[in-house]
Amino acid sequence: MDSDDEKEEYHSWRGVPGTIILINVYDSKKSDSAVLSHVSTCRLLRHHLRQANTHYLGVCFYGTRELDASNFNTQNVLEVFPLNLPNLEDFKKLQNIDLSLCSQDKTLIMSDALWHCSKMFANCKKQLVTRTVLILTKFEVPPIESDQDPTFSRVKEMVKSDIEIKFINIASNDYTPHKFYKELLIDATGNHDVILPKPVYDPKEIETLMYKQSHRHLAIAQLMFEIGEGFEIGIGVYSLLKSNFQPKKDYLDRDTNAIVTSVNKTQKVSIEQTPNMSMETDEDETEHKQLPLLKSELIHYQEYGGEKIIFTDKEKKIMTNPFGPPMMKLLGFKPASMLNKEKWYYKASHFLFPNENRVEGSTKAFKALYKACVDTSVVAICVLCTRVNSRPSIVALSPCSHPLGLDIEIGFDIIKIPFMEHVRQLSIYDEDEENIAIPIAHKATMKDVINKLSFDYKPDMFENPVCQSQYRAIEAIALGDEEMEPYIDTTKPDPNKFNDIKEDLFESIFGPFGMIAPKRMAATKESGTTTKRVKTEEIDEEDFQNRLNNKKINTYNVIQLKQILRSKDIPDLKSISVLKKNELVDLVYKHFV
Amino acid sequence: MAPKVYDGAIIILDIGRNVSQAAEKDKKSFFTEGREFVSRLIERKIMSQGRNLLGLILLGSKKSENNMAKQCDDAFRHIDMAVKLQEPTWQMIRNLPELPTKSRGDWMEAIIVAVDHFANGISGIKFSSKKIILVTNFMSPTCLEENDIERVTNGFKEDNFELDVIGLDLLDDSLKEVDIELARRIVAISNGATASFKDAMRYLLFHKKKIVHSYPWNVDLSIGPNIKIPVSSYIRLKDEPAVKNWVTAIKDPVTHAASTTEGIVKSKVHVNTENQTVIDSNAVISGYHYGQQIIPFTECDQSFLYNSGEKCLSVYGFTQSSNIGWQNLHGDGLHYIFARKGNKKAQYAIRCLVECLHEMGLVALVRRVYNKGNTPKMFALMPVIDNDNYICLSMAEICYSEEIKYMTFPSTTLKRFECTNHEVDAFKELIRAMDLTKAYDETYDDTEAFPIAETVSPAVQYVLDCIAFRAMNPDKPLPEPRDEIMMLFKAPPLVAKRSKEPLNKLKKLFTLTKIEKKKKEKTEAIEIFEHNNENEENIKMDNQTKEPVPLIKLPIASSSRITNIGTIDPINDFKILIDSGKTLTDLFSDMREAIENLVYCNLDGTYRKALSTMKFLRAECVKADPLPYNNWIINFKKALIARKKDDFIDIIHTNKLDVILKEENELSLYDNIDSCDDQLYENDTVPDCTELTMDQEINDLFDNM
């Protein structure tokens, strides 16, 4: 399992994150917290399996009473599986645990569970970049008195050795949490203002919460933001969306299922000619030798002005960014109204958040800047270069709160502003130059349609149907299930939504729109091909009847003939594209006379 | 085939005696400036890769090579048609004369030569524009008769010629010479332009990238099952590299140009990782990771997969525009959607839709299938009522829930992060001072700095600069970015000046303390290594004295039960086991494993324990047998490189933990450290790169486009 150099998306960070999920099963008969935790953990594990990510997970129950076969002692901690890459066996094991059969401990002891977690981290052979313990519990029953002090000291110890301890409050109703947990949380976070998390009970919500808590908090870049000379704050640039979420794929040998790698070889071929025979060389005497290619032998060129302009491999790399190391610098401010997404969006935005680890006091200055921008409705214009090899761009910082519905109080959207080179001029015809005012009645019809179809958008409401079906298909094979888990296509609206639309009224005002979209082949080009355009023009009905009556259908060209044939709903008219002209003419006579 | 349509331009550059003298001392002569302008112009034309044809006439040349001179004996002297209309080349720049001549030519005659060349010198080409760019100071007056001039002027109008005069700004009223008056008239009639060298060079300051035309994607915008409006979508904004399609070749060792006798062959083979055999690509199937497992996925399993159906653009519904933030938008580029060309009904409907959405503050969400069977994507259609007379819908992709990372950030509402109104006001002052819409004073056409979509990209400009530079200077190293490009990284001077005062205020208000990065560097590791014995004791002492709580019971087995070497105290484990009768050979692999684990995990961040264990093991091996240690250390270093732990290799070196040398133990195979190092680093060959999972996905991405 030497996956340290795996082709992970973030290879500059050594190690992988590790999370131990600690589930309180004490008193599970009375409250459903443990069951909820169990279900949610299964879901989380499935999520990790699907993504096949390198996150290490371990699951433990505490508040239980297990007989340890090795030393005949009872233990109040049950290690369901150790800190490991999520795998199928563990998943099945976890799924098959029946909590109602779990024996209860007489009293709740927490310190042993925490100690067990430290042990699990210590035993993990893998280098971990983060170590998190995620405790799923209801904050109602504290451990017995004698265990409380040891629990506190364990928590302190763990925090000291960089183990993060997080809590999820699992309960179906509001209740008064025990003060022990508040104190525990203060110790865990080192923060006296800390607020206990709100209770949650929906497994999906818990899964998301667990996922969030266990997620790596990786920035695209940690930079200094130069607001002015000698005035810099620490910031992190983040991407809130990932671009690659397809299941991880490998090639396999069809027969043996052995993993197959595909290797791209780049080699030099020299065409050597045998000396003294250059006059009569033929194919046989030309040798094709494949030799390894040295990087220093490579050149890259572009053709401009009839010449090959040559660069070495190194020069080509330098050319991508000669502007120095990553940086972020303020250029000034502009009214926020100048920047509308419908006109200037061209690339996914990033997200800006202060970073206290570089400069203390950054958050405060960041907040003041945020407030000032909101109050004056401006965006900050900056130049940003996130990586050594990335092209610098001019960005606008637009204050935002709760992006994507996430629990993020403040931050800035980093909006990439298009350069001149990004814009394509569209030579769109000016046919509709007459600036006709649209009658209110027409607008009312349109608005009626719009209103009937209006809905409240949530960022997570659409699932990629291809990806989801793929996950389910893989899962079905992996778990040996006969049937695939059913799946709802979220990209298609409920067809009943359209029942109330007054389609006839719409059609009578705006329609009919004519033929269906032609294939791209026949798409009319902007310039030049005027002849083609004539061919796809609509057939004049009267003219057609005349020609039909005078038996002059053959004066139409093939395209027009096909168009005529397609205009009438003729059954079995699939193969007209392969017919010859006279056959088409015959068909027209057959179907129209 | 229809003839290609070109933009034609003929430059008339005056190189005669009349332009040879500088107006003032220490200033460039008109000739020098004119030559600079013309070479810049040709360069820009080459780089824009447009449909350009360019010709060059040298006025005041010694030669009189032109078509008109052949026809008339006495006229059209000293006019040299140096380059006939053709696609611009670097050679045109190289061939520009270095020095002015002593002759004089007639500028009016040169124009006639140019017009004649457009009319008779070239056939089979259609011009979308015909420009004559005259670069002269008019110090050599024309000798043409009034009625001849009249004919030229009329011809300009009829044949849609355009005369641009560069070098003198004819709009400057102080220029009163007869010839200038005349030129001014022709420029006005032909809708031409005129500019001083300074203005013209400013216009040519930046490259224009090759123009890309957008092709329409035609589809029906459907609302429900029955309403289908024919529309076309065009790419409006797209991020593209400065230059595409780099060609790779092999350098010819003699000419340094692309080799003609050697080529590059790229081949892709599938290799079974278990037995390293090459496998036929037909025998390869896909397997998907499910946790640790790889699930084989054959073609017949594909039938389970989602079928996205026909190409479509169907409305899912309408939602408040404010629901779609910048963060929801995903994917590359922005498209504009217009009603299908020529379909009046569709145009009316789309226009009505755009206006209604605009009035209601709504956007449409649509499901798009680009081509039959492609992955469906969700897009937002937003109304655009543009100053450029575009009334249309713009289309940008929105994210799927799988794409959301669900990030968490530390809370910002804590007390210590609260800021006062006073502090916020200080930033407001800065905002007022640094208003980029008033970045320049009134002498500029536009007071706005960094206008959206009108600012050039420094990266693109630099790449184009490099190409132009290399073309003219094939042997020189690439230049640094020019000042004009670097200006794009700076606040405009006026803004910078205005910001000084508010910035000083901010500096006083906020205390920002830089935190030095914790150094986990080798020097520290060595230091700790050297003092580790004392340190360890100190730590132990600390724990015992300061910690009232009982120590955590660490899973350390007592020495009596030691059966193998752990990572907690490997040296001690080793000693105990040796005492119990084991040999170095027995224990070597355990020790090795312990060290590797310690290094790979590096829990303390300083490799302290690993280093002390290595030092111990090495000492043992020097005493007994160097071979196992040497074999292992070489492999270990390779493993370290593979794991990108190169830093530890340096630490090995500095701590003298490398191979055991002959001088230390006779049995060693190594005389010095270097003798084993050359196997370590590979040559600089282009690596055989294993195709990443990404590649397939990128391919899919393109398929799905």
Side-chain angles (χ1 to χ4, degrees):
Chain A
M1 244 186 284
D2 56 340
S3 48
D4 217 352
D5 49 357
E6 256 188 47
K7 40 207 176 198
E8 251 278 65
E9 42 178 336
Y10 308 107
H11 33 73
S12 50
W13 278 264
R14 296 221 175 88
V16 296
T19 305
I20 297 173
I21 296 159
L22 205 52
I23 300 173
N24 181 0
V25 293
Y26 182 71
D27 220 9
S28 63
K29 292 204 178 71
K30 270 190 230 155
S31 84
D32 49 1
S33 307
V35 181
L36 275 171
S37 309
H38 179 239
V39 174
S40 317
T41 311
C42 285
R43 288 186 64 119
L44 178 76
L45 198 60
R46 191 182 65 172
H47 194 110
H48 278 277
L49 283 172
R50 283 180 173 182
Q51 302 209 322
N53 46 24
T54 50
H55 205 121
Y56 267 50
L57 278 183
V59 174
C60 287
F61 290 171
Y62 72 99
T64 173
R65 190 183 179 80
E66 297 289 324
L67 201 65
D68 190 334
S70 61
N71 52 14
F72 301 103
N73 287 330
T74 53
Q75 283 196 335
N76 53 35
V77 187
L78 169 69
E79 184 178 296
V80 181
F81 55 85
L83 199 56
N84 209 339
L85 278 173
N87 59 53
L88 214 54
E89 282 73 53
D90 290 346
F91 179 55
K92 283 180 186 159
K93 201 164 148 192
L94 182 68
Q95 237 181 357
N96 292 335
I97 285 179
D98 186 350
L99 277 178
S100 58
L101 298 177
C102 241
S103 49
Q104 294 292 311
D105 202 357
K106 278 171 251 155
T107 50
L108 181 64
I109 293 182
M110 227 175 140
S111 56
D112 284 355
L114 294 172
W115 172 58
H116 192 83
C117 289
S118 338
K119 245 189 354 185
M120 281 167 83
F121 281 125
N123 287 345
C124 181
K125 292 246 168 78
K126 183 83 183 171
Q127 186 188 346
L128 300 174
V129 70
T130 59
R131 283 172 285 192
T132 313
V133 177
L134 200 57
I135 302 175
L136 308 186
T137 181
K138 193 172 176 177
F139 299 144
E140 204 168 30
V141 185
I144 52 159
E145 199 103 327
S146 63
D147 185 56
Q148 290 190 1
D149 272 344
T151 306
F152 283 129
S153 43
R154 285 269 186 272
V155 166
K156 277 181 204 148
E157 280 293 333
M158 288 166 86
V159 169
K160 242 188 212 169
S161 52
D162 272 343
I163 298 173
E164 253 187 294
I165 301 172
K166 292 174 177 173
F167 293 88
I168 294 182
N169 183 356
I170 302 204
S172 50
N173 55 330
D174 255 328
Y175 63 96
T176 327
H178 194 275
K179 67 177 187 341
F180 165 81
Y181 286 100
K182 170 100 187 179
E183 283 168 39
L184 199 62
L185 200 60
I186 290 172
D187 277 354
T189 54
N191 172 11
H192 285 271
D193 311 332
V194 79
I195 308 154
L196 279 176
K198 285 198 188 85
V200 281
Y201 60 94
D202 174 27
K204 197 179 169 204
E205 208 176 319
I206 301 171
E207 181 202 341
T208 317
L209 259 178
M210 288 169 82
Y211 187 67
K212 274 187 202 173
Q213 303 282 15
S214 62
H215 195 280
R216 263 197 285 186
H217 184 74
L218 294 180
I220 293 173
Q222 304 274 13
L223 300 171
M224 302 292 275
F225 175 23
E226 189 186 327
I227 295 173
E229 225 184 296
F231 191 63
E232 292 182 318
I233 62 170
I235 49 106
V237 177
Y238 300 86
S239 167
L240 298 182
L241 296 176
K242 53 189 157 191
S243 48
N244 171 27
F245 55 89
Q246 311 281 327
K248 234 187 213 173
K249 194 173 160 186
D250 251 326
Y251 293 114
L252 299 178
D253 186 339
R254 187 187 295 276
D255 302 324
T256 61
N257 280 350
I259 297 177
V260 173
T261 52
S262 72
V263 179
N264 284 325
K265 281 190 173 167
T266 311
Q267 286 194 304
K268 183 165 80 169
V269 188
S270 57
I271 311 153
E272 282 176 29
Q273 294 185 339
T274 354
N276 304 330
M277 293 190 59
S278 53
M279 292 304 285
E280 303 134 43
T281 26
D282 58 31
E283 294 268 313
D284 296 331
E285 276 145 349
T286 332
E287 281 179 50
H288 294 272
K289 257 196 219 161
Q290 295 215 341
L291 296 168
L293 177 64
L294 296 174
K295 255 190 188 166
S296 50
E297 285 182 305
L298 266 183
I299 51 168
H300 302 270
Y301 67 85
Q302 284 281 332
E303 281 208 52
Y304 275 89
E307 289 173 30
K308 285 178 184 168
I309 321 290
I310 292 167
F311 297 91
T312 63
D313 202 49
K314 214 170 149 194
E315 283 172 332
K316 197 185 154 224
K317 277 207 187 91
I318 293 169
M319 271 157 67
T320 52
N321 180 22
F323 306 108
M327 50 98 186
M328 183 162 181
K329 213 162 103 185
L330 179 70
L331 297 172
F333 297 89
K334 281 189 187 185
S337 59
M338 292 179 95
L339 201 74
N340 23 26
K341 56 182 180 292
E342 65 267 26
K343 274 192 217 162
W344 304 125
Y345 169 82
Y346 81 100
K347 217 175 176 188
S349 311
H350 291 316
F351 185 73
L352 191 77
F353 198 80
N355 177 4
E356 286 284 311
N357 297 333
R358 288 288 283 276
V359 178
E360 223 172 67
S362 295
T363 311
K364 203 174 162 191
F366 187 89
K367 271 181 94 173
L369 174 65
Y370 176 90
K371 274 193 187 145
C373 284
V374 172
D375 288 354
T376 50
S377 314
V378 294
V379 292
I381 307 290
C382 306
V383 55
L384 170 70
C385 176
T386 46
R387 299 257 173 111
V388 180
N389 288 329
S390 62
R391 285 176 277 162
S393 48
I394 293 185
V395 297
L397 305 183
S398 164
C400 88
S401 126
H402 299 280
L404 295 165
L406 299 175
D407 191 20
I408 304 170
E409 291 126 11
I410 64 161
F412 284 95
D413 286 330
I414 302 177
I415 302 161
K416 296 195 175 164
I417 298 180
F419 286 117
M420 192 187 238
E421 288 87 348
H422 294 129
V423 188
R424 293 193 187 177
Q425 289 308 324
L426 305 176
S427 43
I428 303 301
Y429 40 95
D430 307 305
E431 283 174 50
D432 49 345
E433 254 182 287
E434 67 254 51
N435 217 333
I436 5 132
I438 296 168
I440 292 174
H442 290 189
K443 279 195 179 172
T445 311
M446 185 65 89
K447 284 183 180 172
D448 185 50
V449 171
I450 292 172
N451 278 328
K452 290 226 164 82
L453 295 176
S454 67
F455 71 106
D456 200 15
Y457 167 77
K458 293 270 174 301
D460 60 352
M461 71 188 297
F462 299 116
E463 286 179 328
N464 183 333
V466 172
C467 194
Q468 288 296 330
S469 73
Q470 206 164 13
Y471 280 149
R472 280 167 174 76
I474 295 165
E475 221 151 64
I477 302 172
L479 300 169
D481 290 348
E482 293 283 310
E483 302 251 317
M484 247 170 74
E485 197 187 328
Y487 162 69
I488 308 151
D489 186 351
T490 50
T491 63
K492 287 181 182 165
D494 178 6
N496 296 328
K497 265 173 73 177
F498 297 101
N499 290 348
D500 295 343
I501 296 180
K502 292 174 191 143
E503 283 172 353
D504 296 337
L505 183 62
F506 188 93
E507 196 71 9
S508 68
I509 292 173
F510 297 107
F513 296 113
M515 295 175 303
I516 52 153
K519 290 270 185 216
R520 189 172 176 149
M521 288 288 287
T524 46
K525 268 183 165 180
E526 281 313 303
S527 59
T529 52
T530 35
T531 42
K532 263 190 191 162
R533 215 179 315 168
V534 175
K535 285 178 194 164
T536 49
E537 262 177 14
E538 272 187 66
I539 310 292
D540 185 55
E541 192 65 23
E542 215 171 291
D543 178 48
F544 171 69
Q545 283 303 331
N546 276 336
R547 294 201 206 187
L548 193 66
N549 296 336
N550 301 330
K551 298 272 172 206
K552 276 191 174 161
I553 288 299
N554 56 354
T555 51
Y556 281 115
N557 62 35
V558 176
I559 293 168
Q560 288 166 322
L561 286 168
K562 284 182 186 169
Q563 207 178 332
I564 292 164
L565 285 166
R566 285 203 187 96
S567 70
K568 196 173 180 181
D569 247 346
I570 304 166
D572 306 324
L573 196 75
K574 279 168 200 156
S575 53
I576 58 166
S577 53
V578 295
L579 295 183
K580 296 229 163 64
K581 183 171 177 178
N582 52 356
E583 291 169 311
L584 288 170
V585 172
D586 291 346
L587 266 180
V588 173
Y589 285 125
K590 186 180 154 198
H591 288 288
F592 286 84
V593 175
Chain B
M1 246 179 76
K4 285 184 178 173
V5 183
Y6 284 92
D7 283 327
I10 294 178
I11 304 167
I12 302 172
L13 174 63
D14 198 337
I15 57 164
R17 178 199 285 271
N18 49 311
V19 292
S20 60
Q21 293 301 317
E24 288 166 52
K25 251 194 173 176
D26 302 328
K27 283 221 170 155
K28 289 175 185 169
S29 67
F30 190 94
F31 168 79
T32 318
E33 282 198 275
R35 191 180 181 281
E36 276 169 11
F37 163 75
V38 171
S39 38
R40 175 77 66 89
L41 182 68
I42 299 172
E43 182 195 294
R44 292 298 186 261
K45 292 255 182 207
I46 294 172
M47 296 307 294
S48 72
Q49 292 185 313
R51 290 203 167 283
N52 289 313
L53 289 187
L54 203 60
L56 178 67
I57 293 172
L58 298 175
L59 175 65
S61 167
K62 276 183 219 161
K63 291 188 264 180
S64 304
E65 294 219 2
N66 66 72
N67 205 28
M68 296 302 286
K70 281 176 198 154
Q71 292 168 25
C72 332
D73 277 343
D74 275 339
F76 305 103
R77 313 306 300 170
H78 303 294
I79 294 170
D80 176 24
M81 185 82 218
V83 182
K84 292 184 176 162
L85 277 168
Q86 63 171 74
E87 293 200 1
T89 62
W90 303 107
Q91 202 54 41
M92 286 165 85
I93 304 179
R94 291 185 204 114
N95 288 351
L96 286 176
E98 296 289 340
L99 291 169
T101 62
K102 299 216 164 69
S103 328
R104 283 168 192 269
D106 187 317
W107 63 270
M108 205 63 206
E109 281 184 345
I111 289 178
I112 296 170
V113 170
V115 170
D116 169 70
H117 185 66
F118 265 119
N120 307 319
I122 193 157
S123 64
I125 281 175
K126 241 177 119 180
F127 289 103
S128 52
S129 71
K130 288 180 277 191
K131 269 188 194 178
I132 294 166
I133 302 163
L134 179 61
V135 186
T136 178
N137 57 2
F138 299 101
M139 300 283 263
S140 170
T142 177
C143 316
L144 254 66
E145 303 282 324
E146 188 62 36
N147 55 347
D148 285 336
I149 292 171
E150 201 58 40
R151 264 168 47 207
V152 173
T153 336
N154 291 338
F156 255 78
K157 230 188 201 159
E158 277 163 28
D159 290 333
N160 284 324
F161 277 98
E162 179 185 324
L163 179 70
D164 298 337
V165 174
I166 308 295
L168 297 179
D169 185 0
L170 300 185
L171 298 179
D172 184 351
D173 290 333
S174 63
L175 302 167
K176 289 212 163 36
E177 286 84 351
V178 184
D179 280 77
I180 290 175
E181 202 64 59
L182 178 58
R184 198 178 280 154
R185 218 171 69 216
I186 307 178
V187 168
I189 284 171
S190 67
N191 265 332
T194 168
S196 64
F197 281 129
K198 202 178 140 205
D199 289 344
M201 291 300 261
R202 202 159 71 187
Y203 176 74
L204 296 174
L205 194 57
F206 294 114
H207 298 279
K208 277 210 177 81
K209 230 182 110 180
K210 188 180 178 182
I211 294 168
V212 187
H213 291 286
S214 286
Y215 285 99
W217 176 70
N218 292 330
V219 73
D220 284 345
L221 176 66
S222 61
I223 306 173
N226 299 318
I227 299 174
K228 289 179 191 300
I229 310 170
V231 294
S232 303
S233 99
Y234 296 82
I235 295 174
R236 169 67 169 167
L237 297 175
K238 198 178 179 201
D239 187 23
E240 283 167 312
V243 283
K244 284 194 269 191
N245 308 329
W246 281 94
V247 191
T248 340
I250 290 171
K251 184 159 77 181
D252 189 303
V254 184
T255 60
H256 293 282
S259 168
T260 48
T261 56
E262 290 177 314
I264 294 169
V265 173
K266 282 189 179 166
S267 54
K268 183 176 161 183
V269 283
H270 293 282
V271 180
N272 185 332
T273 45
E274 278 169 23
N275 52 17
Q276 297 300 322
T277 50
V278 175
I279 290 176
D280 187 68
S281 59
N282 289 327
V284 172
I285 56 166
S286 310
Y288 290 99
H289 288 243
Y290 192 70
Q292 286 301 90
Q293 241 94 344
I294 297 175
I295 312 296
F297 209 73
T298 54
E299 286 81 356
C300 58
D301 296 320
Q302 304 277 350
S303 59
F304 290 123
L305 294 183
Y306 180 80
N307 181 6
S308 50
E310 296 291 328
K311 159 185 184 176
C312 75
L313 190 70
S314 43
V315 171
Y316 180 93
F318 298 91
T319 192
Q320 289 296 326
S321 171
S322 55
N323 281 343
I324 310 284
W326 286 94
Q327 294 294 348
N328 298 90
L329 300 178
H330 199 33
D332 274 339
L334 184 79
H335 303 252
Y336 271 6
I337 292 182
F338 296 90
R340 189 75 45 78
K341 191 176 179 178
N343 192 327
K344 292 263 180 211
K345 288 274 187 188
Q347 279 162 12
Y348 184 69
I350 291 296
R351 194 185 165 118
C352 182
L353 179 63
V354 171
E355 286 187 15
C356 288
L357 288 177
H358 188 76
E359 284 165 24
M360 298 164 86
L362 295 176
V363 297
L365 294 191
V366 293
R367 171 183 190 266
R368 184 182 94 156
V369 175
Y370 186 75
N371 252 330
K372 189 181 175 179
N374 286 165
T375 305
K377 286 179 177 171
M378 300 304 288
F379 283 83
L381 298 190
M382 302 165 278
V384 172
I385 298 179
D386 199 290
N387 335 341
D388 289 352
N389 287 327
Y390 292 139
I391 297 181
C392 62
L393 292 163
S394 75
M395 176 168 85
E397 196 185 333
I398 56 171
C399 64
Y400 276 126
S401 72
E402 290 95 337
E403 288 162 317
I404 302 174
K405 276 189 186 166
Y406 292 107
M407 280 201 166
T408 47
F409 290 94
S411 173
T412 48
T413 47
L414 304 176
K415 244 184 209 155
R416 65 190 167 108
F417 297 144
E418 250 163 50
C419 45
T420 61
N421 283 340
H422 191 55
E423 286 161 330
V424 176
D425 287 343
F427 266 110
K428 284 186 189 167
E429 240 170 80
L430 183 75
I431 290 172
R432 274 190 294 274
M434 295 185 80
D435 183 356
L436 289 176
T437 57
K438 298 189 191 91
Y440 303 109
D441 56 30
E442 275 69 50
T443 55
Y444 288 82
D445 300 345
D446 195 350
T447 56
E448 188 186 345
F450 306 107
I452 299 173
E454 287 167 37
T455 311
V456 294
S457 156
V460 172
Q461 290 298 324
Y462 180 68
V463 171
L464 297 180
D465 264 1
C466 283
I467 293 173
F469 177 85
R470 179 50 56 86
M472 295 306 291
N473 311 278
D475 301 320
K476 285 189 193 155
L478 296 179
E480 292 285 305
R482 357 172 216 145
D483 291 347
E484 291 90 351
I485 293 178
M486 293 316 285
M487 285 290 285
L488 298 164
F489 292 102
K490 284 179 197 139
L494 196 63
V495 173
K497 199 176 134 198
R498 284 196 307 234
S499 72
K500 270 197 182 132
E501 194 57 32
L503 259 176
N504 285 335
K505 203 169 165 188
L506 281 170
K507 278 185 216 169
K508 275 178 208 146
L509 272 176
F510 291 93
T511 28
L512 297 171
T513 332
K514 260 195 197 180
I515 295 167
E516 289 303 315
K517 259 200 233 165
K518 274 184 206 157
K519 277 183 193 164
K520 275 187 180 177
E521 281 170 13
K522 52 194 173 190
T523 45
E524 199 179 328
I526 297 157
E527 210 175 82
I528 289 170
F529 175 59
E530 280 161 358
H531 303 287
N532 76 51
N533 290 332
E534 307 145 33
N535 277 353
E536 244 165 6
E537 273 159 30
N538 288 343
I539 290 164
K540 269 183 203 161
M541 291 294 283
D542 280 355
N543 280 345
Q544 277 161 359
T545 47
K546 285 181 191 165
E547 207 67 64
V549 201
L551 277 172
I552 296 183
K553 219 196 307 170
L554 281 170
I556 304 170
S558 65
S559 55
S560 60
R561 276 203 281 150
I562 279 180
T563 52
N564 63 345
I565 293 168
T567 51
I568 291 144
D569 191 356
I571 299 176
N572 203 31
D573 293 352
F574 182 86
K575 283 179 184 160
I576 290 165
L577 288 169
I578 285 281
D579 288 347
S580 69
K582 298 264 167 112
T583 63
L584 175 65
T585 336
D586 294 340
L587 296 174
F588 188 83
S589 68
D590 274 8
M591 276 302 261
R592 193 197 67 200
E593 204 173 304
I595 294 169
E596 283 177 4
N597 284 335
L598 283 168
V599 173
Y600 295 152
C601 299
N602 186 23
L603 286 172
D604 52 2
T606 56
Y607 302 113
R608 200 175 61 203
K609 206 187 276 180
L611 287 170
S612 54
T613 314
M614 275 179 81
K615 197 167 195 177
F616 176 80
L617 180 65
R618 192 173 184 278
E620 290 292 314
C621 287
V622 169
K623 274 188 262 168
D625 179 10
L627 286 184
Y629 186 86
N630 284 356
N631 291 341
W632 166 69
I633 194 90
I634 289 165
N635 286 325
F636 182 48
K637 282 200 276 187
K638 280 182 192 158
L640 285 170
I641 290 172
R643 283 169 184 249
K644 302 218 167 57
K645 280 192 172 282
D646 311 36
D647 55 333
F648 193 71
I649 294 186
D650 297 335
I651 297 177
I652 291 177
H653 280 294
T654 37
N655 281 294
K656 304 201 173 90
L657 292 171
D658 247 310
V659 285
I660 299 165
L661 302 178
K662 266 192 183 153
E663 59 192 54
E664 292 174 272
N665 186 315
E666 289 272 301
L667 294 169
S668 169
L669 301 171
Y670 300 105
D671 293 323
N672 55 48
I673 291 170
D674 297 334
S675 54
C676 62
D677 261 3
D678 37 299
Q679 304 152 6
L680 206 59
Y681 297 99
E682 282 161 35
N683 297 330
D684 72 334
T685 49
V686 179
D688 289 348
C689 51
T690 304
E691 192 178 27
L692 303 181
T693 337
M694 273 300 285
D695 283 6
Q696 187 52 43
E697 272 140 22
I698 289 170
N699 286 341
D700 292 349
L701 202 76
F702 282 120
D703 293 344
N704 293 348
M705 263 160 50

